[in-house]
């Protein structure tokens, strides 16, 4: 069984979500949002770093998945996002987690089945796929979605969405190397 | 005596420079450049993080100074720079250093006397001010300049450039609270 930590970094809120993956089955472990107070940036980055360290210590994930951002609205927002992302990534690599990066499109495709899914669709599908009683908060859902995307990638199921996978599993056709 | 770590973060090269500050006198300790290999971003951020941790362990600075970046050429470069900066900042705050941020203008003004100084002027003035036998590499010079700027700020000399300060010191007029 592998514990995967998904992270949705942001300079105001950083979402995290942990799932366990075993034989193509993904189970919810925990998720949440690290809310960052207003104030000096170094302290905010430190909160991301220390919070993720605490989460890693407690749940012992061995792999992490972070959304790869190519573009941002502006250079200013890219800089803020980049710093939050840098703090999150070093928290993971510093704790010896293998860090994988996925584009927003890859993550959406893995969870919803289309690269153009809305935030609400992601929240809904994460809830359904992980059999949760309620939709996770938006950033936590994005983090769980990144973790699910990574679970697919490591199982050689990169090109298969969770809904397709679920259908295959119901029909008893799941294998670790699915031919498309 | 306070050891100050100046950092000039970048996604290809991260400069660092350490000075000691005591009673308005600044001495060179060491400086250098962390060169980042091409390859996966998490690994590159990890190199920044671990290298700075090693430097902090060895030289035991208690304060750090990092250039505050408001603008970048593009959202893409801002994102890369932000991630490098985030990794550098958490290496410092994680090791309990107080991290101060200065604009490029503040740093240039402290070292050269004008906020519009060129890279070469910074290199030259850092060499002169710290009595080095040769100009430090560009990124190392920027890091040392950030450290010098911070030394000024903590000594209450924010509005005074090093050349002005040197002139005052020669005339025996240095005090910790200089009236402008």
């Amino acid at each position: 069984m592998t514990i995967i930590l998904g992270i949705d970094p942001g300079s105001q809120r950083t979402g995290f979500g942990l799932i366990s993956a075993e034989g193509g089955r993904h189970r919810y472990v925990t998720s949440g949002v690290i809310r960052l107070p207003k104030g000096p940036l170094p302290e905010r980055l430190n909160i991301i770093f220390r919070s993720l360290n605490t989460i890693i210590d407690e749940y012992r994930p061995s792999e992490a998945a972070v959304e790869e951002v190519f573009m941002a609205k502006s250079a200013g927002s890219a800089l803020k996002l980049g710093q939050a992302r840098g703090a999150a990534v070093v928290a993971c690599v510093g704790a010896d987690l293998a860090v994988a990066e996925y584009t927003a499109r890859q993550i959406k495709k893995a969870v919803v089945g289309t690269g153009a899914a809305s935030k609400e669709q992601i929240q809904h599908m994460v809830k359904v796929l992980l059999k949760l009683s309620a939709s996770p908060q938006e950033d936590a859902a994005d983090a769980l979605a990144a973790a699910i995307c990574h679970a697919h990638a490591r199982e050689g199921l990169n090109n298969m969405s969770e809904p397709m996978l679920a259908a295959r599993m119901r029909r008893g056709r799941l294998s670790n190397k699915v031919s498309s």
Side-chain angles (χ1 to χ4, degrees), chain A:
Chain A
M1 191 186 69
T2 305
I3 307 282
I4 301 167
L5 167 60
I7 304 173
D8 178 34
S11 59
Q12 296 180 346
R13 294 181 308 275
T14 285
F16 65 91
L18 290 124
I19 64 168
S20 68
E22 190 170 24
R25 291 190 180 269
H26 311 141
R27 286 199 178 82
Y28 177 81
V29 176
T30 191
S31 66
V33 181
I34 303 163
R35 286 173 201 279
L36 303 167
K38 291 192 175 168
L41 178 92
E43 189 42 44
R44 285 194 282 148
L45 298 183
N46 197 24
I47 291 170
I48 296 176
F49 180 70
R50 288 197 195 270
S51 302
L52 288 175
N53 271 330
T54 302
I55 291 161
I56 291 166
D57 271 357
E58 187 168 347
Y59 295 98
R60 305 267 166 203
S62 56
E63 299 176 19
V66 188
E67 189 178 310
E68 186 173 11
V69 183
F70 283 115
M71 285 303 288
K73 281 173 205 159
S74 68
S77 64
L79 198 66
K80 282 182 196 164
L81 175 59
Q83 291 177 86
R85 201 172 181 283
V89 167
V90 293
C92 294
V93 288
D96 289 326
L97 272 69
V99 179
E101 302 181 289
Y102 300 96
T103 62
R105 200 173 168 78
Q106 285 176 303
I107 294 171
K108 287 172 179 175
K109 198 163 178 216
V111 175
V112 183
T114 162
S118 71
K119 287 269 180 193
E120 291 71 25
Q121 282 177 297
I122 293 171
Q123 282 177 292
H124 175 72
M125 283 310 297
V126 165
K127 178 190 159 190
V128 171
L129 294 168
L130 297 175
K131 302 181 181 67
L132 305 174
S133 55
S135 284
Q137 188 273 357
E138 189 178 301
D139 305 285
D142 283 350
L144 288 165
I148 293 169
C149 177
H150 178 61
H152 284 208
R154 60 190 302 286
E155 288 153 10
L157 304 171
N158 311 39
N159 297 316
M160 186 150 307
S161 70
E162 274 279 341
M164 283 165 67
L165 196 59
R168 286 207 177 211
M169 284 178 74
R170 275 196 299 276
R171 292 197 298 270
R173 290 204 287 134
L174 183 70
S175 83
N176 255 2
K177 292 282 173 197
V178 177
S179 53
S180 53

